[in-house]
């Protein structure tokens, strides 16, 4: 028999009046602020003017603002959010039952929109500010395709042009994502391409390369800076993206507060850190202000372990080294995860905000092997019904591990995790898993040392 608590609904929704009206900027409550972006040529913090050719003005203001706690969400964005938000906070009764755990598990499901992930929360905000500035379009990169899809939806809604550089291997292996983007009017170019200088240079140096996220970023930045009326937008890592994604955490907190539920453990998968940063923001705010304590856990792939095996240093955000330097936990911008890695979260670095919080001991991180991740994904699909994205399944794995620990210790902990998206476009990865062809390729210490040796030297610093 399932242990339904009749005072707590299966899914906790919010009414329109309960939806957040402002994003929360966790930097406002951080005692040690995240390190600023640096200009690689001078070693000095990037100024508003230096960022202007690449980013939209309002987004630069958000990026550089470490002090303002709340940014009102413009009405047009709130209206768009209403098309697919609030996202449900679901009590995982079936999963609890299957695990025979006394733990109470909740997950915030962000896959209820066509793009299939949380990325739409920031895509609409970034497209809105580009439109407001009178620009004609935006450029970006996409790996697996979730961000490109989200951005193409947002641009279609607002009537903006959208140019997506898609990592070549994904362009070829994920034709369905590509066609979704084209359905929403985006142009999609496989990266590296002949359409940019950096793309041509990379192709010359590595003919036949299947591309990487870092390389696609370099191309998208170049494409934005070289055509007037265009700016570059990025779906993760940046402070502004975490700000927009705070909508996830604010809704979660309002929903939990409504029923007097206080989580003990909050878990999220971490690629560049945006969903996790967004989910934990209001809880981390309480922790930083000394009001409450939570265990917060970032989960990353063992094959791309930025937090658990990376180094905290200034690094390039992209392979082509055209972007500013960010201080973060990084594997080095030349690190490329094994081609056998199918579980997403492949970025070499991590949000500067989360990196600082982790460095200051305010959150934990674990890495998990992908076969264990897909085992959890399948278990979850069979018990809770939702087919999870491989990325999201990292969080499922750790939530399950914590719930199993509770079964052993008898503790009735409340666990909240972020279920960032659906896995419909990831069936090739699931197929590999089902056929027993999935391997766990974990980078050696030597491989990481080689990559660390190529970290940039900062001008003016020893
Ligand atoms: C992009 C993506 C992630 C990872 O990105 P973060 O910026 O770390 O949140 C996780 N889950 C899904 C479904 C994604 O599309």
């Amino acid at each position: 028999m399932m242990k339904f608590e009749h005072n707590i609904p299966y899914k906790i929704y919010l009414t329109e009046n309960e939806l957040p009206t402002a994003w929360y900027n966790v930097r406002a409550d951080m005692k040690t602020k995240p390190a600023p972006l640096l200009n690689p040529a001078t070693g000095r913090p990037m100024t508003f003017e230096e960022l202007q050719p690449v980013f939209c003005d309002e987004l630069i203001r958000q990026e550089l603002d470490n002090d303002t706690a709340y940014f009102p969400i413009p009405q047009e964005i709130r209206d768009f959010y209403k098309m697919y938000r609030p996202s449900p906070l679901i009590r995982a009764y079936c999963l609890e039952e299957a695990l025979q755990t006394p733990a109470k598990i909740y997950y915030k499901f962000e896959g209820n929109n066509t793009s299939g992930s949380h990325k739409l929360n920031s895509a609409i905000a970034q497209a809105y500010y580009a439109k407001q500035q009178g620009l004609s379009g935006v450029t970006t990169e996409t790996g697996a395709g979730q961000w490109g899809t989200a951005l193409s939806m947002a641009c279609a809604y607002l009537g903006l042009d959208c140019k997506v550089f898609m990592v070549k291997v994904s362009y070829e292996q994920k034709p369905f994502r590509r066609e979704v983007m084209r359905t929403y009017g985006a142009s999609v170019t496989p990266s590296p391409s002949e359409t940019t200088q950096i793309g041509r240079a990379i192709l010359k140096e590595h003919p036949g390369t299947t591309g990487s996220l870092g390389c696609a970023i370099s191309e998208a930045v170049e494409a934005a800076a070289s055509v007037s009326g265009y700016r570059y937008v990025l779906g993760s890592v940046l402070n502004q993206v975490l700000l927009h994604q705070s909508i996830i955490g604010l809704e979660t907190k309002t929903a939990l507060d409504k029923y007097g539920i206080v989580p003990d453990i909050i878990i999220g998968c971490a690629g560049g850190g945006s969903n996790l940063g967004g989910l934990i923001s209001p809880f981390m705010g309480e922790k930083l202000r000394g009001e409450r304590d939570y265990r917060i856990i970032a989960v990353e792939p063992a094959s791309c372990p930025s937090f658990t095996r990376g180094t905290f240093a200034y690094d390039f955000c992209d392979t082509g080294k055209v972007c500013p330097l960010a201080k973060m936990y990084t594997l080095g911008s030349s690190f490329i995860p094994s081609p056998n890695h199918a579980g997403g979260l492949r970025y070499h670095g991590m949000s500067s905000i989360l990196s600082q919080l982790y460095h200051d001991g305010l959150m934990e991180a674990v890495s998990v092997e992908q076969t264990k991740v897909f085992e959890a994904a399948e278990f979850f699909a069979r018990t809770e019904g939702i087919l999870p994205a491989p990325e999201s399944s990292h969080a499922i794995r750790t939530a399950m591990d914590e719930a199993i620990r509770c079964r052993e210790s008898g503790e009735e902990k409340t666990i909240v995790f972020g279920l960032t998206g659906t896995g419909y476009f990831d069936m090739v990865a699931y197929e590999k898993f089902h056929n027993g062809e999935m391997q766990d390729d974990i980078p050696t210490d030597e491989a990481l040392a080689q990559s660390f040796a190529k970290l940039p030297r900062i001008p003016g610093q020893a």
Side-chain angles (χ1 to χ4, degrees):
M1 271 311 282
M2 244 164 340
K3 49 166 188 182
F4 285 121
E5 289 180 67
H6 292 288
N7 54 334
I8 295 176
Y10 206 102
K11 289 183 185 168
I12 308 180
Y13 277 106
L14 302 176
T15 65
E16 277 189 21
N17 291 335
E18 292 168 324
L19 293 179
T21 56
W23 294 300
Y24 168 62
N25 179 12
V26 71
R27 285 168 285 166
D29 285 305
M30 288 171 70
K31 277 168 211 89
T32 313
K33 306 292 182 191
L37 293 170
L38 296 187
N39 181 328
T42 63
R44 307 178 74 104
M46 292 292 288
T47 62
F48 184 86
E49 290 72 23
E50 286 170 327
L51 290 166
Q52 251 182 334
V54 175
F55 293 119
C56 306
D57 293 357
E58 184 55 34
L59 293 168
I60 302 172
R61 277 181 209 111
Q62 295 179 358
E63 189 64 29
L64 299 178
D65 191 331
N66 284 339
D67 304 306
T68 306
Y70 287 94
F71 286 80
I73 306 173
Q75 188 60 47
E76 200 169 349
I77 300 177
R78 288 169 58 190
D79 290 342
F80 184 86
Y81 278 164
K82 278 182 201 159
M83 296 186 343
Y84 69 101
R85 309 200 67 83
S87 68
L89 181 70
I90 304 170
R91 175 74 182 267
Y93 282 117
C94 302
L95 182 63
E96 291 171 21
E97 172 73 12
L99 294 173
Q100 288 291 305
T101 175
K104 296 170 181 172
I105 309 173
Y106 295 85
Y107 57 95
K108 179 76 166 161
F109 180 47
E110 291 291 320
N112 266 345
N113 67 78
T114 296
S115 77
S117 81
H118 65 285
K119 292 198 172 70
L120 193 54
N121 301 333
S122 183
I124 187 60
Q126 297 193 47
Y128 170 83
Y129 291 115
K131 176 84 180 177
Q132 207 196 27
Q133 200 177 318
L135 299 171
S136 357
V138 290
T139 70
T140 198
E141 78 294 335
T142 198
Q146 290 102 325
W147 166 244
T149 311
L151 188 67
S152 60
M153 285 175 72
C155 287
Y157 180 76
L158 295 167
L160 269 182
D161 185 36
C162 179
K163 293 187 198 303
V164 180
F165 288 85
M166 185 170 191
V167 177
K168 191 179 278 167
V169 59
S170 305
Y171 183 91
E172 285 161 1
Q173 290 180 358
K174 302 203 170 176
F176 296 145
R177 280 260 180 224
R178 187 181 76 207
E179 292 315 314
V180 178
M181 287 185 255
R182 293 176 65 197
T183 300
Y184 286 95
S187 72
V188 188
T189 307
S191 165
S193 76
E194 296 283 349
T195 68
T196 63
Q197 264 178 24
I198 189 83
R200 288 189 292 273
I202 290 171
L203 281 172
K204 204 165 160 203
E205 203 182 329
H206 309 280
T209 173
T210 55
S212 72
L213 212 47
C215 164
I217 296 177
S218 310
E219 286 204 270
V221 170
E222 184 185 320
S226 57
V227 187
S228 83
Y230 281 77
R231 292 292 185 281
Y232 167 70
V233 294
L234 180 63
S236 183
V237 186
L238 295 175
N239 298 338
Q240 56 187 273
V241 184
L242 267 73
L243 175 70
H244 307 146
Q245 294 296 358
S246 70
I247 189 85
I248 305 172
L250 292 164
E251 282 183 9
T252 303
K253 180 129 178 50
T254 308
L256 292 174
D257 285 350
K258 243 169 105 162
Y259 292 92
I261 303 161
V262 181
D264 298 294
I265 310 175
I266 304 167
I267 298 168
C269 65
S274 74
N275 87 82
L276 176 67
L279 173 65
I280 68 173
S281 277
F283 302 96
M284 184 58 85
E286 290 183 301
K287 190 163 165 151
L288 289 163
R289 296 188 300 270
E291 296 164 10
R292 233 183 213 148
D293 200 14
Y294 303 99
R295 259 187 87 197
I296 293 172
I297 310 176
V299 192
E300 59 186 15
S303 51
C304 192
S306 327
F307 271 134
T308 52
R309 294 177 66 203
T311 182
F312 191 39
Y314 268 105
D315 192 10
F316 286 100
C317 298
D318 62 321
T319 323
K321 306 185 178 179
V322 298
C323 292
L325 302 172
K327 189 169 182 194
M328 55 188 176
Y329 276 85
T330 179
L331 299 168
S333 65
S334 60
F335 177 82
I336 296 181
S338 154
N340 291 325
H341 174 66
L345 311 173
R346 309 170 61 92
Y347 189 62
H348 66 273
M350 188 55 68
S351 137
S352 290
I353 296 176
L354 293 189
S355 293
Q356 189 63 52
L357 292 168
Y358 179 66
H359 193 70
D360 292 342
L362 290 154
M363 53 184 276
E364 307 165 31
V366 294
S367 75
V368 288
E369 291 164 10
Q370 64 174 347
T371 46
K372 298 277 186 300
V373 168
F374 278 84
E375 270 170 28
E378 200 176 76
F379 193 84
F380 185 83
R382 292 180 189 180
T383 49
E384 286 290 318
I386 295 173
L387 177 77
E391 292 91 339
S392 323
S393 305
H394 288 73
I396 299 176
R397 173 76 267 167
T398 298
M400 282 173 55
D401 290 345
E402 289 296 332
I404 291 167
R405 208 162 290 158
C406 286
R407 177 175 74 207
E408 286 154 6
S409 66
E411 284 171 294
E412 253 185 64
K413 295 230 160 101
T414 297
I415 299 169
V416 172
F417 74 89
L419 188 72
T420 50
T422 49
Y424 298 116
F425 290 110
D426 300 289
M427 296 326 287
V428 174
Y430 273 90
E431 182 187 30
K432 263 191 171 175
F433 173 68
H434 294 144
N435 291 345
E437 292 158 3
M438 185 169 273
Q439 290 155 261
D440 294 309
D441 279 3
I442 298 170
T444 60
D445 288 340
E446 295 73 52
L448 292 183
Q450 269 178 18
S451 179
F452 294 150
K454 293 185 205 146
L455 284 169
R457 241 172 264 139
I458 317 293
Q461 290 184 23

